[in-house]
Amino acid sequence: MERLSGLDASFLYLETPAQLMHVCSVMVLDQSTMPGGYSFAEFRATLDARVRKVPQFTRKIRRVPLDLGHPVWVSDDHFAVDHHLHRMALPQPAGYAELMEICGHLAGQPMNRARPLWEMYVIEGYKDAAGVEKLVVFTKMHHATVDGASGANLISYLCSLEPDAPPLATDEIPMDGSSPSSLELFGRGVFSTLTRPLSIPRMLGPSVGLITETISRARKGIAMAPPLTAPRTSFNGTITGDRTIAVADMDLEDIKAVRRATGATVNDIVLSIAGGALRDYLIDRDELPEGSLLASVPVSVRGESKRDGGANKVSALFAYLGTDVEDPLERLRQITEANAKAKEHHKAIPADTLQDWAEFAAPRTFGLAVRAYADLRLAEKHPVVHNLVISNVPGPPIPLYFMGARIDGMYPLGPVFHGAGVNITVLSNNGVVHVGIIASEASVRNPETMVGHFPAELARLKAEVEVLNAEASAADESAADESAADESAADEARTEDSSPQVP
């Protein structure tokens, strides 16, 4: 048995039929690398053997009586892989549009909380743009189980470095398989309820200090972008449960070329590309606001956190995307400068602040509040907190194999919220940057028109950098020529001075 942290449990409390709190992924696999070829029966048998060694795949949630405390994880004594693994075939002919349609439908379905909170769909019959048949695996994992970093690690447990090699996690991960009685859970819940207020004084000091620090930084102009300052767009309202999905690829080497030329970080460049892409999308719809869009950017605090338990170890910073700036290099410069301030500001926030305060999340209160918020459509009545969520997840620099099939594409897809109906996640994989967009259909009916601007914006940014490099090279050559000319003139002068004088 393991108790959910307050932050993990919050994702359960925040969930409604419209606001689904699971994390999805679209994996495009090259089935030709599978030893012996693809067979669903072999795929199922291999997956069954591997997931049983990782407790996150075989545990389920159990509520505390009267909701006196956060739920606990217990082993599912009736675990069966067939409850989680499903097989589907696309109608023929099937390409990108058909794949995105079925993935969007699957993303909009809630999961059964009576079982371990993950699902996997093997989708057959997909052909890529070159007409090559690929195997697609669509996964769903509840946010109570994983965050961005732990989700990528969890999938890696099922992967290998070679088609016929064992998975990266070969040792069984231990878990307490005991299932507590209802009386024991009730007692733990009562104890937790009574002792929780004792931690408030310990948390107030750092929180008050954080507020003071933030006000001071804001006055000096060195604070991160504040929430509630975002302009309203068509995807900042009340969402529905229907989902739309679109994906695209970018060349990692092109991003690295921009990084070398400008000194910006990969994350700065990703945010700048997103800003340019969203600007073009909104211009096409005649919706571009005067002020810049504001993104919430999840930040992993796994290395700084002092907490041992919990799947989610995240914080967040807010960043303007420069959608009000036309020039891509100027946008990148502004984002780079602002992110440097935001990172320094974020360092002043204790790593466990969000986790600490989330312990006070009450199941019934949270659930009622979220439902009232949606029913009253409050997201459309108060200032916009932030326009969207953007995540940048580092992936493997080498090829990985899932059940023996090489991963050609891995597109993570996070949850969307009332008031922010778009989530963009970027993941690097073996030299390619995969972009995944998921949205509420009420917010973005055709995200393909949005994601298509990402490669175009990178190409534009790279072209501007090449012009910058060419100008710098020309300036260097001109300076070198001037230096050579000056040196030649100096040599001539020295020669004249040393010539013999005729009386």
Side-chain angles (χ1 to χ4, degrees):
M1 181 194 76
E2 180 184 339
R3 176 182 173 276
L4 273 74
S5 71
L7 186 56
D8 294 346
S10 295
F11 289 108
L12 296 174
Y13 309 152
L14 287 169
E15 189 166 55
T16 69
Q19 189 167 272
L20 300 169
M21 290 290 106
H22 48 243
V23 179
C24 304
S25 173
V26 180
M27 285 193 293
V28 180
L29 308 176
D30 183 357
Q31 61 200 56
S32 67
T33 66
M34 302 179 78
Y38 166 68
S39 160
F40 179 77
E42 183 64 26
F43 185 102
R44 175 194 174 281
T46 304
L47 180 68
D48 190 20
R50 292 186 179 182
V51 297
R52 290 181 183 275
K53 297 181 178 181
V54 184
Q56 287 90 331
F57 289 106
T58 59
R59 66 185 186 181
K60 62 181 181 179
I61 58 171
R62 184 175 171 188
R63 291 176 58 184
V64 174
L66 303 180
D67 288 327
L68 288 174
H70 299 312
V72 297
W73 293 113
V74 297
S75 294
D76 183 4
D77 296 333
H78 304 286
F79 174 80
V81 74
D82 290 335
H83 292 158
H84 306 271
L85 177 64
H86 311 281
R87 184 184 189 185
M88 307 181 71
L90 292 174
Q92 296 301 308
Y96 174 86
E98 291 77 14
L99 178 63
M100 293 299 101
E101 182 179 1
I102 191 62
C103 288
H105 172 74
L106 296 174
Q109 305 302 310
M111 288 191 286
N112 186 350
R113 291 195 181 184
R115 293 172 177 161
L117 294 176
W118 66 277
E119 294 174 1
M120 189 175 292
Y121 295 83
V122 177
I123 303 174
E124 302 170 357
Y126 167 67
K127 291 185 178 179
D128 64 15
V132 179
E133 185 168 349
K134 296 292 180 68
L135 192 67
V136 176
V137 174
F138 184 83
T139 64
K140 295 164 63 174
M141 294 182 182
H142 202 281
H143 220 318
T145 306
V146 295
D147 59 17
S150 61
N153 291 337
L154 199 57
I155 289 295
S156 72
Y157 290 157
L158 307 179
C159 298
S160 58
L161 298 177
E162 298 291 341
D164 54 354
L168 296 177
T170 56
D171 297 329
E172 206 165 312
I173 303 173
M175 175 182 174
D176 182 3
S178 61
S179 183
S181 66
S182 297
L183 182 60
E184 181 182 353
L185 285 178
F186 179 78
R188 287 172 178 261
V190 171
F191 179 79
S192 175
T193 301
L194 293 175
T195 59
R196 192 177 301 139
L198 299 178
S199 62
I200 292 179
R202 173 180 58 83
M203 297 161 54
L204 280 177
S207 297
V208 171
L210 173 60
I211 295 172
T212 304
E213 173 79 8
T214 299
I215 293 174
S216 174
R217 285 180 170 273
R219 288 174 174 172
K220 297 176 182 176
I222 56 173
M224 74 172 72
L228 297 169
T229 59
R232 187 168 294 279
T233 69
S234 56
F235 41 84
N236 298 124
T238 302
I239 63 174
T240 64
D242 297 321
R243 297 291 179 265
T244 56
I245 291 173
V247 301
D249 292 333
M250 300 187 295
D251 192 338
L252 180 59
E253 187 53 42
D254 287 346
I255 291 179
K256 288 181 177 179
V258 175
R259 184 189 65 185
R260 289 191 294 267
T262 62
T265 67
V266 171
N267 194 58
D268 296 335
I269 297 169
V270 167
L271 292 178
S272 180
I273 292 171
L278 289 166
R279 173 185 169 87
D280 290 342
Y281 170 79
L282 293 170
I283 287 176
D284 291 345
R285 295 172 56 87
D286 196 25
E287 291 183 16
L288 182 67
E290 291 185 6
S292 171
L293 265 61
L294 180 67
S296 173
V297 184
V299 178
S300 175
V301 294
R302 197 162 295 274
E304 295 81 27
S305 175
K306 298 178 181 179
R307 287 179 170 269
D308 295 329
N312 286 272
K313 295 184 182 297
V314 295
S315 180
L317 58 81
F318 294 93
Y320 288 122
L321 297 178
T323 52
D324 55 337
V325 179
E326 181 179 3
D327 182 78
L329 280 178
E330 176 60 21
R331 182 187 309 113
L332 177 58
R333 186 195 66 77
Q334 291 185 14
I335 288 177
T336 301
E337 181 179 324
N339 280 351
K341 297 175 183 177
K343 290 172 186 175
E344 287 299 317
H345 188 176
H346 188 265
K347 288 179 182 178
I349 303 173
D352 293 324
T353 297
L354 183 58
Q355 288 91 317
D356 289 342
W357 283 109
E359 290 299 323
F360 292 87
R364 294 184 184 276
T365 304
F366 247 55
L368 290 173
V370 172
R371 283 165 174 77
Y373 185 84
D375 292 342
L376 296 173
R377 305 184 74 87
L378 295 181
E380 301 163 17
K381 299 175 182 178
H382 62 69
V384 178
V385 179
H386 58 105
N387 297 110
L388 71 161
V389 177
I390 299 181
S391 301
N392 180 24
V393 182
I398 57 176
L400 285 184
Y401 296 83
F402 185 82
M403 306 297 153
R406 188 183 67 234
I407 299 177
D408 286 346
M410 183 183 294
Y411 308 91
L413 306 161
V416 295
F417 304 88
H418 291 296
V422 178
N423 186 301
I424 301 174
T425 306
V426 176
L427 181 143
S428 58
N429 169 51
N430 192 29
V432 180
V433 176
H434 304 300
V435 182
I437 295 180
I438 184 169
S440 165
E441 189 175 31
S443 303
V444 181
R445 185 172 295 275
N446 183 15
E448 177 59 30
T449 58
M450 182 184 292
V451 81
H453 288 297
F454 276 74
E457 182 61 25
L458 174 58
R460 185 182 172 201
L461 182 58
K462 184 185 177 186
E464 292 290 330
V465 165
E466 289 174 347
V467 171
L468 189 67
N469 287 341
E471 291 175 351
S473 297
D476 290 343
E477 290 179 4
S478 176
D481 292 342
E482 290 179 5
S483 177
D486 291 343
E487 184 65 27
S488 176
D491 289 342
E492 291 178 2
R494 285 194 293 269
T495 301
E496 292 175 0
D497 289 343
S498 61
S499 299
Q501 300 298 314
V502 179

